[in-house]
């Protein structure tokens, strides 16, 4: 199942309400709208999307994922439907709904695959950063100094370029961590006036 929160539920409900406010399309009207949409008429394109929003929501539900919300999937599906509307005239197909379902499903599947790849890449990068930091600690103890990037790369059996890239990731992560820690410090807890008084006592 796709992730659904209150905002998603309200968004989907509003989409369904808007779609229900339009009467269903008959075959002749759908054909005319498709012809006008193919020529760039945005109002015809919007009308076709609204008429098929339930189909988009159904396909999004069927392809539910734990990494993308239902609203995300519906948005991706809407892009697929717009593509179907714009390309149907030159597709050689005669059944618009079947053609649209293919386009919508393919767009949602592509979004899910891209998200899964991004998650895998992030997990691999976290693992690489952890390996880098461990190698850095070990070499620092062995060499009794800060290791060079070439020494870290050799320790990990990486290329220097890969070690440099991961080093940048680690440095940026540390910088963000430091900033978050500073942001957590409540200035009201630190009585600067009291600190000044204490310093003055030691100076006497």
């Amino acid at each position: 199942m796709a992730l659904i929160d209150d905002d998603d539920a309200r968004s989907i409900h509003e989409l369904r309400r808007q779609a229900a406010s339009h009467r269903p399309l008959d075959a002749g009207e759908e054909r005319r709208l498709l012809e006008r949409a193919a020529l760039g008429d945005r109002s015809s394109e919007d009308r076709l999307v609204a008429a098929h929003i339930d189909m988009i929501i159904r396909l999004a539900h069927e392809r539910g994922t734990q990494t993308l919300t239902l609203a995300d999937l519906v948005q991706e599906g809407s892009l697929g439907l717009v593509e179907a509307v714009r390309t149907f005239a030159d597709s050689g197909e005669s059944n618009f709904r079947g053609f649209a379902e293919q386009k919508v499903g393919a767009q949602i599947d592509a979004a899910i695959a891209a998200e899964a790849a991004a998650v895998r890449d992030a997990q691999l990068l976290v693992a690489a950063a952890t390996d880098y930091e461990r190698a850095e600690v070990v070499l620092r103890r062995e060499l009794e100094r800060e290791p060079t990037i070439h020494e870290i790369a050799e320790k990990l059996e990486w290329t220097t370029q890969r070690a440099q890239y991961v080093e940048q990731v680690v440095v940026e992560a540390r910088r963000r961590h430091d900033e978050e820690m500073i942001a957590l410090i409540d200035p009201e807890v630190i009585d600067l006036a009291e600190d000044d008084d204490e310093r003055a006592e030691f100076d006497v």
Side-chain angles (χ1 to χ4, degrees):
M1 289 290 293
L3 295 174
I4 305 176
D5 57 21
D6 291 341
D7 289 338
D8 281 342
R10 284 191 291 269
S11 297
I12 300 303
H13 176 75
E14 178 60 20
L15 286 173
R16 282 182 166 147
R17 188 194 65 77
Q18 291 176 11
S21 68
H22 298 283
R23 59 180 176 77
L25 300 176
D26 59 39
E29 186 178 8
E30 182 176 82
R31 183 171 59 255
R32 289 190 294 274
L33 287 171
L34 284 167
E35 290 171 354
R36 290 200 291 266
L39 297 175
D41 182 19
R42 292 296 301 275
S43 62
S44 296
E45 184 177 287
D46 292 342
R47 177 71 179 93
L48 286 161
V49 171
H52 294 86
I53 194 67
D54 281 339
M55 179 258 286
I56 298 174
I57 295 172
R58 173 176 58 79
L59 293 175
H61 265 300
E62 291 174 357
R63 291 166 164 80
T65 171
Q66 291 298 318
T67 55
L68 290 172
T69 66
L70 181 61
D72 290 332
L73 297 180
V74 169
Q75 182 175 10
E76 291 294 333
S78 298
L79 295 176
L81 183 56
V82 168
E83 181 185 358
V85 169
R86 293 177 178 176
T87 59
F88 180 70
D90 297 325
S91 68
E93 299 288 338
S94 58
N95 179 359
F96 174 70
R97 187 171 185 84
F99 180 74
E101 287 204 11
Q102 291 180 0
K103 290 291 186 181
V104 170
Q107 182 71 29
I108 293 175
D109 289 341
I112 292 172
E115 181 66 16
V119 169
R120 288 195 299 271
D121 289 346
Q123 291 171 339
L124 290 173
L125 189 55
V126 168
T130 300
D131 290 342
Y132 178 95
E133 290 187 301
R134 288 174 178 168
E136 189 179 38
V137 170
V138 170
L139 286 172
R140 188 182 295 123
R141 290 173 180 170
E142 292 177 353
L143 302 172
E144 296 183 350
R145 61 173 172 78
E146 289 297 322
T148 67
I149 191 67
H150 301 290
E151 290 168 335
I152 293 175
E154 183 178 0
K155 180 74 173 178
L156 293 168
E157 298 182 352
W158 290 354
T159 63
T160 301
Q161 289 79 3
R162 182 184 182 189
Q164 288 172 332
Y165 175 76
V166 177
E167 178 188 33
Q168 292 173 358
V169 172
V170 170
V171 169
E172 177 63 16
R174 289 171 178 168
R175 182 188 66 77
R176 290 185 180 181
H177 176 267
D178 290 344
E179 290 178 352
E180 290 171 358
M181 291 300 295
I182 292 172
L184 287 173
I185 297 175
D186 186 352
E188 295 181 358
V189 174
I190 305 174
D191 190 338
L192 296 179
E194 181 178 333
D195 289 345
D196 289 341
D197 292 341
E198 290 178 355
R199 282 194 293 271
E201 291 177 3
F202 285 116
D203 291 340
V204 174

